[in-house]
Structure formats: structure tokens, C-alpha cells
Amino acid sequence: RIVFLKKSLFLLTMKQLPKSLEQKLAARQEQNALRKLPLANQLIDFASNDYLGFAKSEAIFTATHQYLVNHNCIINGATGSRLLSGNHTLYPTTETFVAAFHQAPSALLFNSGYDANVGFFSAVPQKGDFILFDELCHASIRDGIQLSYAKGYKFKHNDFEDLELLIERCHTERSRGNLHNEIYIVTESVFSMDGDCPNLEELVQVTTKYNCYLVIDEAHALGVFGEKGEGLVQFLGLQEHFFVRIVTFGKGLGCHGAVVLGSEALSSYLVNFARSFIYTTGLSPHSVATILNAYQELDTKAAAIGELKERINFFNQEKSRFSLKPLFVRSKSAIQSAIIPGNANVKAIAKQLQDKGFDVKPILSPTVPAGQERLRFCLHSYNTEAQISEVLYALSSCL
């Protein structure tokens, strides 16, 4: 009784949420868009980004543990930022391997894809520079641009004619002020909500024509494109045309962290000026060893990558068989999105699919624009053709 009374008194005296924030939560509730953390489930996975099943790989788990034991690295944490005490020996070993794998001069590990994007865009483009980014770029890119002193402008999704108009406007602005500011062009190799890809050959031609710096986020391409899952840029043999590639590990690689691929001078600059790198504790030895062993697994797992490609092709064939193709955004990646407008509508259909045993998540506004709400299907090498047919049949039945 005493404990209960103390708890009640604490709740009465604790500061409540400000009214303005309560109103924002209430508005989300009214829009049927209030986010809540989901519970773990045992449904058939069409929701996770674990495209190759590496996150659940016993082989990677065991190899990582054994690597740490063999190298007498029995330590749980990094102990500090990389500039102080956290730059343990696994970092240079892993960065060297990753740079070679991606055919890049240098690789610099960050704690997450969000940290890498925020760190790069807030530090590299300077005051007066221009950042021209695809309108569907990830929130982490947009947040980094907002922290930058450069001028940011978005171009229409995968529309390089619109991009050229923006570049010409930037050139006009530069010539008026007799300035020599740089222009950075930013896109993604696979867009996280639509699953589509830009025409990178055409984009390279545009950026070469205007002498711009080309930046790409390859988060959803690692493990999906290329014989060894190197990503779309290397698959097309265009790596020399990109100023920087940002690759994250929480999707196809099945672990945590990210890497910025570029010149050695760029890595040195980020070590000195990227605040999300400087002012954070480094990744633990276990996390970095997992990255290294996952990359080594990727280097030898062409079969799993081939299986994923087969599942993507089969999914696209089945969309046509069930007359669902008009609903879906055109995609040859592991992300397949069916547009079903309205938060309440798409949530209801997702719930029906989940009740039938399929983990398919609804993507609501404001994450996507109103009217572009969708079911997002993530495909994996371990999904069977039978599961794909069953989930698409279930979707056609719900509709």
C-alpha cells in the first residue's frame, strides 16, 4: 500500500506533456497515423530488410564469436569515441576489407546509416554550395541537408530534365555573384518506399556535363545487385564517377553500421569535421567483427544472391498473374510497394494479411504523401515461391 501511494504521488507531481505536444499526438490519432512499436511475431516475413537472411545466420554469428576469441578481443564496448580510445584494431582491418570489396580508395565506418548521412551532408557541402536531391530521398539525407549551410533544392523523382533545369539555375546564380560554389547531386540506388532505381548511366552523363559532385545512398542495394551483392553502382561499373557512396549494413548485410566510400582525403576530412563521427562512442568490437564476417560471407554467397533475384522475378510474374500489377510501383528490387490510398484502408488490408499469417506492413502518411499510402512487401532469399503466390492471392482476395 505504501509503494502504491508513493507511485501515485510521483505520477501526480511529475511534469505532464505540454499541451501543444498532446495536441500533435491527438491529431495523429485522428488521422489514424499514430505510430506504435510492434511486438515480435512468428508470421511469414515480408516486412524485414534482411534480404539474404544474414541477420539470422548462425554461420555469421559463430564466425564472429570465434574471430574475437582468436584475436583475444574479449571486450564488450568500444570504451570511447574513435578519436579517443574507441579505435580498436578491428576498425582498420574491416575498413580495408570493405574498401577493397567496393573498389574504393578509402572506407570510413559510421555507427549507422543515419549517422553517416547526417555526418556527411552537414560537414562536406559548404556555405553557398548547392545540394540538389531527389524528392524521395531518405529522411536522414534531408536531416543532414537541413544541418548544412549549403542551399538545398529537390528535383522531381528520377527526372533528370528537371535536375538539369535546377543545375542551370545554380550556374546562373553563381555567375551573378562571380562565385565558385560547388554543386552536389544526391540520389539513392534503390528508393526505400518505392523500391525503384534511377537511370544511373544517364545521371552520370548529366553530372559529368556540368562538373557536379555525385553522391549516392546504396542502403537497399547492398546484397541485392551485383554478382557478390556489391550494389547497383558497381554492378553497372560506374564507381569511378561517384564522389561518395554511402552504404548501410542494417539491410542486406544483416548487421549494424554504415560506411562512407570515397577518397582518402574525404575520409580524413570527415574524421576532422563530421560531428556524428567525432562526438559519439565507436561501435563495439563485436559489431565491427560482425560487419567483417558478414562481408566475408557476402563475398562467397553468390547462391543466396541468386535466390533473391529469382524471388524478385517470380514476385513480378505473380503480380501479373493475379492482375495486381497496376497497384504496384514498378520495381526490380527486393522492395515491392502496392499503392492503397488512405491510412484506414491500407491498415485494414494489412491486418487481414497478418491474420492470414503474412507479416506485411502498411506505410502510412505522413511517412509517404497522403494518397500514396501503401503495402510494402520486402522479399528475401528465404521466401519460397509458394509463400509469394499465397500472399499475393491473399491480397487479391482482400481487395
Side-chain angles (χ1 to χ4, degrees):
R1 185 179 296 174
I2 293 172
V3 171
F4 176 78
L5 289 172
K6 285 184 176 179
K7 186 176 180 181
S8 300
L9 182 62
F10 172 75
L11 291 173
L12 286 172
T13 57
M14 189 177 72
K15 279 279 189 183
Q16 299 301 304
L17 201 63
K19 288 286 184 185
S20 59
L21 304 189
E22 287 183 353
Q23 290 167 0
K24 291 181 76 171
L25 278 177
R28 280 284 171 90
Q29 185 76 57
E30 290 171 10
Q31 296 159 8
N32 207 0
L34 186 67
R35 297 183 178 102
K36 294 182 180 179
L37 295 174
L39 299 174
N41 62 63
Q42 300 300 316
L43 304 177
I44 296 170
D45 184 6
F46 284 102
S48 81
N49 294 322
D50 187 23
Y51 303 130
L52 300 175
F54 279 18
K56 297 180 282 288
S57 169
E58 186 177 343
I60 294 174
F61 184 90
T62 303
T64 298
H65 174 75
Q66 196 59 50
Y67 184 93
L68 292 169
V69 172
N70 291 347
H71 289 78
N72 196 30
C73 192
I74 314 301
I75 182 171
N76 294 317
T79 76
S81 75
R82 290 188 65 183
L83 285 166
L84 295 176
S85 59
N87 196 44
H88 46 78
T89 56
L90 279 172
Y91 266 117
T93 301
T94 303
E95 287 171 336
T96 299
F97 187 95
V98 172
F101 182 91
H102 286 293
Q103 298 176 355
S106 180
L108 185 68
L109 292 180
F110 279 73
N111 284 17
S112 70
Y114 191 95
D115 283 338
N117 275 325
V118 168
F120 174 83
F121 287 104
S122 64
V124 174
Q126 300 296 293
K127 186 175 182 179
D129 288 346
F130 302 94
I131 307 173
L132 310 182
F133 61 98
D134 190 291
E135 64 181 348
L136 296 189
C137 276
H138 192 264
S140 58
I141 294 173
R142 290 168 171 264
D143 288 355
I145 292 171
Q146 284 186 340
L147 291 171
S148 169
Y149 290 106
K151 300 175 182 179
Y153 301 104
K154 62 185 177 183
F155 59 90
K156 294 175 184 176
H157 181 51
N158 288 339
D159 186 337
F160 301 141
E161 290 181 3
D162 189 46
L163 172 60
E164 281 204 69
L165 290 174
L166 275 177
I167 294 172
E168 288 169 0
R169 279 176 53 191
C170 293
H171 276 295
T172 301
E173 191 172 332
R174 286 199 308 188
S175 60
R176 282 177 185 164
N178 194 27
L179 304 173
H180 300 283
N181 306 101
E182 308 297 348
I183 299 175
Y184 295 86
I185 311 298
V186 188
T187 191
E188 300 181 19
S189 50
V190 178
F191 285 88
S192 60
M193 289 297 109
D194 284 15
D196 60 343
C197 305
N199 184 331
L200 293 185
E201 292 98 334
E202 183 182 348
L203 181 58
V204 165
Q205 290 175 3
V206 172
T207 52
T208 302
K209 175 182 175 181
Y210 292 97
N211 194 29
C212 302
Y213 287 89
L214 190 49
V215 180
I216 192 164
D217 184 317
E218 289 233 84
H220 291 276
L222 181 65
V224 179
F225 291 97
E227 287 186 12
K228 295 182 178 180
E230 305 97 326
L232 186 59
V233 172
Q234 277 175 267
F235 175 64
L236 298 173
L238 298 173
Q239 55 269 27
E240 292 183 4
H241 297 279
F242 284 81
F243 173 59
V244 68
R245 287 174 281 161
I246 297 168
V247 182
T248 66
F249 307 144
K251 285 78 176 175
L253 206 64
C255 49
H256 197 71
V259 68
V260 174
L261 302 167
S263 66
E264 291 183 7
L266 174 65
S267 290
S268 178
Y269 181 86
L270 292 172
V271 167
N272 282 276
F273 294 99
R275 294 171 70 84
S276 64
F277 178 91
I278 298 166
Y279 298 109
T280 189
T281 299
L283 291 168
S284 69
H286 189 278
S287 293
V288 180
T290 303
I291 294 167
L292 177 60
N293 281 278
Y295 260 105
Q296 290 172 341
E297 185 83 353
L298 194 62
D299 203 23
T300 60
K301 286 295 180 182
I305 297 165
E307 288 169 359
L308 176 60
K309 291 174 182 174
E310 290 173 6
R311 300 300 179 269
I312 294 168
N313 291 336
F314 185 76
F315 191 95
N316 280 317
Q317 292 166 6
E318 292 294 89
K319 285 190 306 193
S320 298
R321 187 165 77 90
F322 288 109
S323 302
L324 293 170
K325 194 172 181 179
L327 280 181
F328 280 84
V329 178
R330 186 176 182 275
S331 168
K332 292 187 177 181
S333 77
I335 299 170
Q336 305 280 334
S337 291
I339 305 300
I340 300 174
N343 281 347
N345 195 23
V346 74
K347 285 176 74 173
I349 294 175
K351 178 66 165 58
Q352 291 180 60
L353 293 179
Q354 290 160 12
D355 289 344
K356 293 177 185 291
F358 303 103
D359 191 12
V360 179
K361 293 294 194 294
I363 307 297
L364 313 175
S365 60
T367 299
V368 293
Q372 290 291 307
E373 295 84 4
R374 65 202 53 202
L375 291 174
R376 183 172 179 263
F377 295 80
C378 292
L379 305 180
H380 313 91
S381 59
Y382 52 83
N383 287 134
T384 65
E385 291 187 352
Q387 290 170 348
I388 290 171
S389 297
E390 288 165 9
V391 75
L392 289 177
Y393 173 74
L395 174 61
S396 64
S397 301
C398 292
L399 295 173

